[in-house]
Amino acid sequence: MKATPYEGKPAVVSQRAKQAGEACSERWSWVERTVWTERMLEALENGVKGGVWFSLIDKVYRRTTLDAAWKRVRQAGGAPGSDRQSLEAFESRLEVNLTQLQEELQKGTYRPRPIRRTYIDKPGSKEKRPLGIPTVRDRVVQTALKMVLEPIFEREFMPTSFGFRPGMGCKDALRRVVELMREGHTWVIDADLKSYFETIPHDGLMAEIRRHVADSRVLDLIEGFLKQQILEDLRYWTPEKGTPQGAVISPLLSNVYLHEVDKLVRAAGYEMVRYADDFVILCRNYQEAKEALSLVTELTAERGLTLHADKTRVVATHEKGQGFDFLGYHFENGTRWPRKKA
């Protein structure tokens, strides 16, 4: 490329900087801007020293963060938690409630209240799925915490993960599966993690979080949510592992724990499409599928997780009558259609 005159150099540099800034803003357009300033986004984009973030708790208890978190909780709706306080009741004393949360978080005296457990129908099964309902105040704090932490981990996550991520969803995962099948990846590992959300080891999860977060008060806050009591049938008990489905922070934490699996499967050259704890690995031949299954079995076992023996299988989708279900759709011969209700 022909060199530009000296007089034009400052303008060229300025334009490049502007374009880089615009690209950064577009990539992170979904972040909560009361938390993530331009300076923080620049650090996020360029990477912080050692890849570890310090001094994050002040972003969590900042009043503008809690205000933004409350708005999201109010918009999401939901039932009362174990303290029976409704959204309307919390809102009726909003100023007092948010001020109290801010003071507790700042002083380090905040403690999560018990989660109310209920059970909901599990699609395509007679089994019931446990659902944890945190109190309104805890949902506000978890939302604030998520707004601070999510961009840090989003920078690391793989494009093979589609569940509960900004700008990604079921349709993207489904399109990717169809695309891979049409490219010849017709041998599919249809995998099922047994009770994933209930079996995530706390120590292992916290170790993954510490790779990128070093603020001890934020780490204590996360651990407090992992170990908060469960109220079920008028009985309180404390979980030794898992993260409750229904908690605001749980989808992010579940993705954090499976990130290394995503990374290592991709590094091995296999095509995985994952939506939370539901995933498939698409291969070109039986030998590749067999090796991929062996790898993912080993990786999940190392993390204290179990692939459901009766629900994990290798499927030759190019053969007549063979197919698999994924995210509410049935796949066979490179096509998909809605799965019939049981």
Side-chain angles (χ1 to χ4, degrees):
M1 182 180 291
K2 187 177 179 180
T4 56
Y6 175 81
E7 294 78 15
K9 284 185 179 179
V12 172
V13 173
S14 177
Q15 182 62 24
R16 285 179 178 173
K18 180 179 179 182
Q19 289 174 348
E22 289 175 350
C24 179
S25 295
E26 183 177 351
R27 179 183 177 187
W28 302 105
S29 60
W30 55 270
V31 304
E32 177 54 55
R33 296 309 296 266
T34 59
V35 177
W36 286 90
T37 62
E38 288 295 337
R39 185 177 179 182
M40 285 186 67
L41 284 176
E42 185 178 348
L44 180 67
E45 191 72 16
N46 295 332
V48 294
K49 186 177 180 180
V52 181
W53 289 76
F54 296 83
S55 303
L56 293 172
I57 190 65
D58 60 305
K59 281 78 174 175
V60 177
Y61 65 63
R62 188 181 294 162
R63 183 52 186 266
T64 52
T65 305
L66 293 174
D67 286 337
W70 159 250
K71 290 176 182 177
R72 293 192 187 187
V73 170
R74 188 69 180 90
Q75 185 176 15
S82 60
D83 62 0
R84 297 297 174 181
Q85 184 181 46
S86 66
L87 287 163
E88 292 76 17
F90 188 93
E91 189 173 29
S92 69
R93 303 182 73 245
L94 186 61
E95 179 65 29
V96 173
N97 287 328
L98 292 184
T99 298
Q100 182 178 352
L101 283 179
Q102 183 181 28
E103 290 175 354
E104 290 180 11
L105 288 166
Q106 191 168 4
K107 293 176 181 177
T109 59
Y110 169 83
R111 298 293 181 272
R113 292 176 181 172
I115 283 182
R116 181 167 67 87
R117 171 163 284 191
T118 186
Y119 289 85
I120 59 175
D121 292 332
K122 192 173 182 179
S125 172
K126 294 181 180 179
E127 298 177 10
K128 294 284 187 178
R129 185 190 301 275
L131 181 68
I133 305 176
T135 62
V136 175
R137 73 193 300 271
D138 289 343
R139 299 205 296 263
V140 171
V141 175
Q142 286 192 22
T143 302
L145 183 62
K146 180 173 179 282
M147 291 192 299
V148 172
L149 294 179
E150 190 168 32
I152 295 172
F153 291 102
E154 269 298 318
R155 184 181 183 274
E156 308 298 323
F157 288 160
M158 308 298 292
T160 54
S161 168
F162 294 87
F164 306 107
R165 296 187 59 193
M168 304 176 82
C170 281
K171 291 183 179 179
D172 302 295
L174 294 169
R175 278 193 290 265
R176 181 58 178 157
V177 170
V178 171
E179 181 181 72
L180 288 167
M181 291 179 70
R182 289 176 178 172
E183 290 176 358
H185 296 80
T186 58
W187 288 86
V188 178
I189 298 169
D190 180 15
D192 184 274
L193 281 169
K194 191 174 182 180
S195 303
Y196 173 60
F197 281 85
E198 292 84 51
T199 58
I200 299 175
H202 290 170
D203 290 345
L205 174 57
M206 292 305 300
E208 294 297 330
I209 293 170
R210 287 190 183 95
R211 290 188 180 197
H212 300 287
V213 176
D215 188 319
S216 61
R217 291 177 64 184
V218 166
L219 293 171
D220 289 344
L221 193 57
I222 297 170
E223 199 155 16
F225 284 125
L226 292 177
K227 297 183 181 300
Q228 69 188 115
Q229 287 188 313
I230 306 292
L231 173 61
E232 182 176 6
D233 296 330
L234 302 179
R235 181 176 64 90
Y236 291 96
W237 58 278
T238 303
E240 297 181 357
K241 54 186 176 179
T243 177
Q245 292 191 67
V248 177
I249 200 72
S250 289
L252 174 61
L253 298 182
S254 70
N255 277 332
V256 168
Y257 196 61
L258 284 179
H259 170 61
E260 280 298 302
V261 175
D262 295 341
K263 191 165 66 173
L264 293 172
V265 168
R266 193 180 192 202
Y270 302 119
E271 297 286 358
M272 181 163 76
V273 178
R274 182 173 68 81
Y275 191 95
D277 59 335
D278 198 358
F279 68 90
V280 290
I281 302 176
L282 298 96
C283 306
R284 291 187 179 276
N285 55 64
Y286 174 71
Q287 184 60 33
E288 186 180 316
K290 184 178 178 182
E291 292 170 355
L293 178 57
S294 177
L295 174 63
V296 78
T297 300
E298 180 183 342
L299 291 175
T300 51
E302 286 175 353
R303 285 155 180 77
L305 306 173
T306 305
L307 288 176
H308 205 300
D310 297 332
K311 298 180 181 179
T312 299
R313 61 200 180 108
V314 175
V315 183
T317 63
H318 54 282
E319 295 183 6
K320 187 176 180 180
Q322 290 204 40
F324 65 96
D325 295 334
F326 184 59
L327 301 180
Y329 282 79
H330 183 77
F331 290 82
E332 195 172 328
N333 294 324
T335 59
R336 70 177 185 189
W337 54 88
R339 181 176 61 198
K340 293 181 180 180
K341 293 182 179 181

